[in-house]
Amino acid sequence: MSGLGQPYVITVTDVERGIMALASKLLGSADAWRTLVSINNLSPPYITLYPEQIYGPSLGKLILPQQTLAGADTLTIAGQPQSVNVAYFSFSGANGLVAEVATIANYNGTTLTLASPLKNTYPAGSQLALFASYSVGNITVLLPGQTIFLPVNGSNSLTLNTNAILTDVFGADFTLPYSFANGDLSQVTGVNTLNQRIRVAIETELSALPLYQDFGSELNGNIGTSSASAKWTAFVREALMKLPEIENVTNLQVTVNNTSLIISGLVWVTTSNTPIQINNMSFTLAR
């Protein structure tokens, strides 16, 4: 396990808060989530409460007839397929969901032996789902009770790959105006996706889209009516803040020259503690 440092056992709360919150908790920065993903070789969605996303349909589901204490590693369970390799325990308690996954060391048709003791106590009525150990599509996604590894000491610094983060967040859009590449519609990803969405938000006249009356900007039709830069800055900020991915816009500078608009500033997206720099992005707008 070269490059892997201290192990950490994932909890239900960790999964509910997401991989970025987990990175912030363990490494001190939400932006370090890609480091966790990389060194643990994780696949989207990285951590989950749903074992079916990893193992496919369960081979057996049952209700525990009696309390199973933390530290237990054997259960008496009859009539389940002997090909099961993974057990997923869960129940809803007063403080929310309690769950963990456990590897099955042996099952002889009556006694189920776990590879390691349970970390939680499960009352009578808790659910137990049994799975084969294969992964759907050979993905690696972690469940509560499984271990994620931190970087070795001194290796947890990272260079933010902004384009990779935004590709994961935004996916891909068709290039506007439409164009073709390799016989198919071309696409933009990552930072280019963000740039295109900013451009569409600013160049679309407010209320021009019947189904999205609040989308767009007041810039079109107002260029040339005022030389007050504060007005244009307010129009740009308002248009950008309507994009759900954008949390804040700072250091915004707007320059208007005839029908040309140029903006610079820092865009803070909802998934990163590091802003995206916009440098002299230009637009041509109608008067």
Side-chain angles (χ1 to χ4, degrees):
M1 291 188 177
S2 176
L4 300 183
Q6 181 179 354
Y8 172 83
V9 177
I10 294 173
T11 68
V12 169
T13 300
D14 292 328
V15 177
E16 290 175 337
R17 292 178 176 174
I19 190 69
M20 296 189 72
L22 181 60
S24 181
K25 172 182 176 180
L26 299 179
L27 301 178
S29 170
D31 289 333
W33 70 274
R34 294 194 67 84
T35 297
L36 286 180
V37 166
S38 177
I39 67 172
N40 288 276
N41 196 31
L42 300 181
S43 312
Y46 312 123
I47 51 179
T48 182
L49 294 175
Y50 306 105
E52 293 83 0
Q53 290 183 324
I54 307 168
Y55 305 116
S58 67
L59 301 183
K61 288 186 177 181
L62 59 151
I63 303 298
L64 295 181
Q66 60 189 23
Q67 184 183 61
T68 302
L69 296 174
D73 60 4
T74 59
L75 295 86
T76 300
I77 297 174
Q80 300 301 315
Q82 289 187 246
S83 58
V84 295
N85 302 104
V86 176
Y88 188 68
F89 297 81
S90 64
F91 76 95
S92 295
N95 296 319
L97 179 69
V98 177
E100 66 183 284
V101 66
T103 300
I104 298 173
N106 182 61
Y107 178 56
N108 60 13
T110 56
T111 301
L112 185 149
T113 303
L114 303 177
S116 58
L118 288 173
K119 300 173 179 66
N120 302 298
T121 293
Y122 293 90
S126 296
Q127 296 184 13
L128 172 59
L130 302 172
F131 300 87
S133 61
Y134 66 87
S135 294
V136 176
N138 196 32
I139 65 172
T140 303
V141 179
L142 299 180
L143 291 155
Q146 291 185 311
T147 299
I148 193 169
F149 289 90
L150 281 63
V152 294
N153 290 338
S155 68
N156 62 348
S157 62
L158 71 158
T159 301
L160 177 65
N161 186 336
T162 298
N163 194 65
I165 289 176
L166 292 179
T167 298
D168 281 351
V169 172
F170 298 146
D173 283 348
F174 290 122
T175 303
L176 298 176
Y178 293 128
S179 61
F180 286 86
N182 300 320
D184 202 354
L185 286 170
S186 62
Q187 296 181 326
V188 290
T189 60
V191 173
N192 291 331
T193 306
L194 177 63
N195 288 342
Q196 179 166 282
R197 292 183 185 179
I198 289 174
R199 183 170 298 280
V200 171
I202 289 178
E203 293 183 345
T204 300
E205 186 173 354
L206 186 65
S207 303
L209 303 178
L211 297 180
Y212 304 95
Q213 291 286 306
D214 192 46
F215 183 81
S217 77
E218 297 181 69
L219 291 159
N220 279 288
N222 281 313
I223 292 294
T225 62
S226 170
S227 59
S229 61
K231 179 178 181 179
W232 310 127
T233 302
F235 284 161
V236 170
R237 185 185 303 278
E238 180 183 31
L240 297 186
M241 291 301 294
K242 289 174 183 175
L243 294 172
E245 305 90 350
I246 293 180
E247 191 172 75
N248 196 12
V249 181
T250 59
N251 298 345
L252 184 60
Q253 299 178 8
V254 179
T255 303
V256 176
N257 183 11
N258 199 9
T259 59
S260 175
L261 179 82
I262 299 174
I263 68 171
S264 297
L266 299 176
V267 173
W268 300 77
V269 296
T270 55
T271 56
S272 175
N273 288 335
T274 301
I276 311 303
Q277 178 75 51
I278 298 176
N279 288 315
N280 298 322
M281 194 172 184
S282 61
F283 306 82
T284 300
L285 303 172
R287 287 182 175 272

